[in-house]
Amino acid sequence: MNRRTTTLLASSLSLAAALAISGCSSDSGKAADGKPELSVSGAFMPEPVNADMAGGFLIVKNGSDTADKLTSVTSPISDDVQIHETKNQKMQQVQSLDVPANGELKLERGGNHVMFMGLKSTPKVGEKVTVELHFQKADPIKVELDVKERTHNPKTH
Ligand code: CU
């Protein structure tokens, strides 16, 4: 084994050790009742292309050491709000999406998203759509999605 390989090996070993330590760290960052602390940002809905279906996008941030899952979404404008993931450019319904500890669940164009089926009304640009996010551990969070133009994509701004 030459010296360079040895150095690389040593640094990857110390990285693994550091990860292992943070992996079993204490309860710091947990709320007093043990529930993860989640916050939501950047929530929007592109104005629906057809009157029947719409997508919703947002970011759930988990500032705690406890992993959680987004398990369902409810909204006054649809009785059938689904959680979708996109794989190989095809979307499919999933039962839940992970909100990693000290990480983010990103619902964004081309990826995971909320899907509103059978819209009761057609939201227009400038309006707001209320949703309630339900989690496995954390309390439900109410969020307002800003209805944006159809091509709106925060990543390109
Ligand atoms: Cu979808």
Side-chain angles (χ1 to χ4, degrees):
M1 203 183 272
N2 63 32
R3 175 173 292 174
R4 188 156 179 276
T5 315
T6 314
T7 312
L8 280 173
L9 190 62
S11 64
S12 62
L13 278 176
S14 62
L15 179 63
L19 286 172
I21 289 162
S22 66
C24 18
S25 74
S26 67
D27 290 345
S28 66
K30 252 188 211 173
D33 57 3
K35 285 180 183 167
E37 293 159 15
L38 306 181
S39 59
V40 177
S41 62
F44 74 97
M45 169 189 281
E47 191 180 65
V49 177
N50 68 53
D52 211 39
M53 254 166 43
F57 305 93
L58 51 87
I59 294 167
V60 183
K61 198 168 188 190
N62 186 350
S64 72
D65 291 338
T66 306
D68 207 343
K69 282 173 191 288
L70 175 67
T71 52
S72 69
V73 182
T74 52
S75 173
I77 68 158
S78 165
D79 290 331
D80 183 15
V81 186
Q82 303 180 355
I83 303 170
H84 282 188
E85 65 175 14
T86 307
K87 277 202 171 149
N88 303 321
Q89 316 217 343
K90 278 189 182 165
M91 60 183 191
Q92 59 187 51
Q93 189 176 6
V94 292
Q95 290 312 305
S96 66
L97 288 172
D98 290 337
V99 186
N102 297 301
E104 288 178 343
L105 167 63
K106 286 184 184 168
L107 305 183
E108 55 190 1
R109 283 184 175 273
N112 302 323
H113 56 279
V114 175
M115 197 95 199
F116 301 79
M117 314 300 284
L119 291 177
K120 297 176 186 174
S121 62
T122 309
K124 296 272 181 287
V125 174
E127 295 180 358
K128 288 181 189 298
V129 172
T130 305
V131 299
E132 195 166 76
L133 308 176
H134 300 263
F135 300 93
Q136 190 176 59
K137 295 173 190 155
D139 293 328
I141 300 178
K142 251 193 183 143
V143 187
E144 295 208 310
L145 309 185
D146 290 320
V147 181
K148 300 285 195 183
E149 58 276 20
R150 284 169 193 180
T151 54
H152 181 73
N153 188 348
K155 281 193 297 187
T156 62
H157 284 198

